[in-house]
Amino acid sequence: MRKDAKKGLIFNIQRFSIHDGSGIRTLVFMKGCPLKCKWCSNPESQKFGKEILFFREKCIGCGACVKVCPNHAVDTETFDILRGSCTACGACARVCVADAKKTVGESKSVADIMVDIERDRIFYRNSKGGVTIGGGEPLMQHEFVEELLKTCKAKNIHTSIETCGFADWNDVRGIFETVDHVFYDLKHSNDERHKKITGVSNRIILENAEKVACLGKNITFRLPLVPGYNDDLNNLFQTGSFLKKLLRQNRNIRLEILEYHGLGENKYHGLDRSYELEGVLSDAQKLEQSRQIIRDMGITVIS
């Protein structure tokens, strides 16, 4: 088998993005994530494997999905997906004329993805853009992602990665050595609190952040400011102190404090999952105050 014939599981390729790196970019979203952040705006990215989203408000009740499901995993009256029986084969989504059912997850080779990337190269040249690999968590598919990054590098295409850093360093070092720019998520500085809101410890995340910083890479750390979860002063000061320590090793570090939004709520319902932050609203004044606190600690903050 050719090396580039290996498959990666993605859930979207978004073209002409201007928010996840310099210039105009192509975003490749890998499926699967070891964290289960309660505010995640892409819940369909968390599970490694194909899934079916069902948007009930779009359903016209034609019943085509019932007829084609090989596992009888669609309710004959409500047309809801019977998750215990569903294998995410995608038969229901393929016949859904209203786009109420949608398959999330597609296997692609590096060569497949490069076809989309090559279409956009003219835009990269004119805007100093490139390719950004996000997720989910790209490090979960580290071999595939490293190959994709190296293929882009061989073609002189600028690359970025969006990561939470939760992985074995020996597996992912090659990724960080290859990529041009790193977007690195920080959820909470306190380990116990981090476990409670994401499901995992932050120990590996912080250790890997130090290792990436020592590589001298351009790093944009990201802190999603979520009311009631990580917007307390203690977390801000501890996060700032951690970044000040990293600045001793690498001056190419900045922080982006992101405003909370609940735009993914509808997708939780589409997966028959509850959204715990329903009704939570961002506080614009507190967001700007938080940015200023970090600036006052001598750290570059972008907004």
Side-chain angles (χ1 to χ4, degrees):
M1 179 185 292
R2 298 191 333 273
K3 186 177 181 181
D4 67 0
K6 293 179 181 177
K7 301 284 187 176
L9 188 64
I10 70 167
F11 71 93
N12 192 21
I13 295 180
Q14 179 181 318
R15 302 173 66 198
F16 309 118
S17 174
I18 57 172
H19 299 295
D20 296 270
S22 59
I24 296 172
R25 308 192 73 79
T26 303
L27 272 56
V28 180
F29 293 93
M30 309 302 298
K31 203 167 186 315
C33 184
L35 275 62
K36 299 295 180 284
C37 302
K38 296 182 182 298
W39 57 86
C40 179
S41 60
N42 289 317
E44 77 278 23
S45 73
Q46 293 179 350
K47 179 181 176 181
F48 185 77
K50 295 182 180 181
E51 295 177 275
I52 304 294
L53 279 164
F54 177 40
F55 299 107
R56 290 170 181 81
E57 67 278 8
K58 290 185 178 182
C59 181
I60 60 175
C62 68
C65 53
V66 175
K67 296 175 184 176
V68 300
C69 181
N71 299 300
H72 307 290
V74 180
D75 189 282
T76 57
E77 294 184 1
T78 65
F79 309 109
D80 287 342
I81 299 170
L82 306 177
R83 299 287 176 179
S85 303
C86 179
T87 61
C89 70
C92 60
R94 287 192 291 272
V95 300
C96 184
V97 295
D99 204 27
K101 289 184 170 69
K102 179 181 177 182
T103 303
V104 182
E106 183 179 7
S107 295
K108 283 183 174 284
S109 69
V110 168
D112 293 332
I113 294 174
M114 290 305 299
V115 170
D116 289 302
I117 290 172
E118 290 286 357
R119 290 193 187 111
D120 292 342
R121 288 197 69 171
I122 187 172
F123 302 108
Y124 308 154
R125 287 196 298 268
N126 294 337
S127 68
K128 297 183 180 180
V131 174
T132 300
I133 305 176
E137 175 48 62
L139 301 187
M140 279 191 70
Q141 301 183 62
H142 57 88
E143 291 180 345
F144 181 85
V145 169
E146 184 173 346
E147 182 183 340
L148 178 56
L149 288 170
K150 287 181 175 177
T151 302
C152 289
K153 189 178 185 71
K155 294 177 177 290
N156 295 315
I157 297 172
H158 183 274
T159 56
S160 297
I161 190 169
E162 298 174 321
T163 180
C164 70
F166 189 86
D168 186 316
W169 179 252
N170 293 324
D171 290 336
V172 301
R173 178 171 183 159
I175 287 176
F176 292 114
E177 290 177 336
T178 302
V179 74
D180 297 304
H181 183 200
V182 179
F183 290 98
Y184 202 107
D185 287 352
L186 298 174
K187 315 292 186 180
H188 206 289
S189 58
N190 179 272
D191 188 44
E192 287 305 313
R193 184 63 178 157
H194 196 279
K195 289 177 185 176
K196 188 174 241 183
I197 63 178
T198 72
V200 303
S201 167
N202 70 1
R203 181 179 56 82
I204 293 175
I205 292 170
L206 298 180
E207 288 176 358
N208 284 344
E210 294 187 38
K211 292 171 182 175
V212 175
C214 288
L215 293 175
K217 295 290 178 175
N218 288 309
I219 310 173
T220 301
F221 285 96
R222 282 174 163 173
L223 174 65
L225 203 68
V226 186
Y229 286 80
N230 65 355
D231 63 340
D232 56 284
L233 286 176
N234 190 50
N235 183 50
L236 284 171
F237 284 123
Q238 287 190 18
T239 298
S241 297
F242 176 71
L243 295 181
K244 284 187 72 173
K245 181 175 72 170
L246 297 190
L247 280 168
R248 301 188 196 117
Q249 302 292 331
N250 183 350
R251 301 303 300 178
N252 301 314
I253 285 175
R254 56 187 185 171
L255 177 66
E256 183 177 14
I257 301 181
L258 302 171
E259 183 177 11
Y260 163 75
H261 62 77
L263 297 179
E265 182 175 345
N266 192 43
K267 290 187 281 189
Y268 282 83
H269 301 320
L271 292 167
D272 295 315
R273 290 169 53 185
S274 61
Y275 185 64
E276 295 186 27
L277 278 73
E278 190 167 354
V280 172
L281 298 175
S282 177
D283 184 331
Q285 183 177 8
K286 191 166 189 178
L287 178 68
E288 189 49 48
Q289 289 174 344
S290 300
R291 289 169 175 162
Q292 192 57 51
I293 287 170
I294 299 296
R295 288 191 190 102
D296 291 343
M297 296 179 73
I299 297 161
T300 300
V301 177
I302 60 173
S303 56

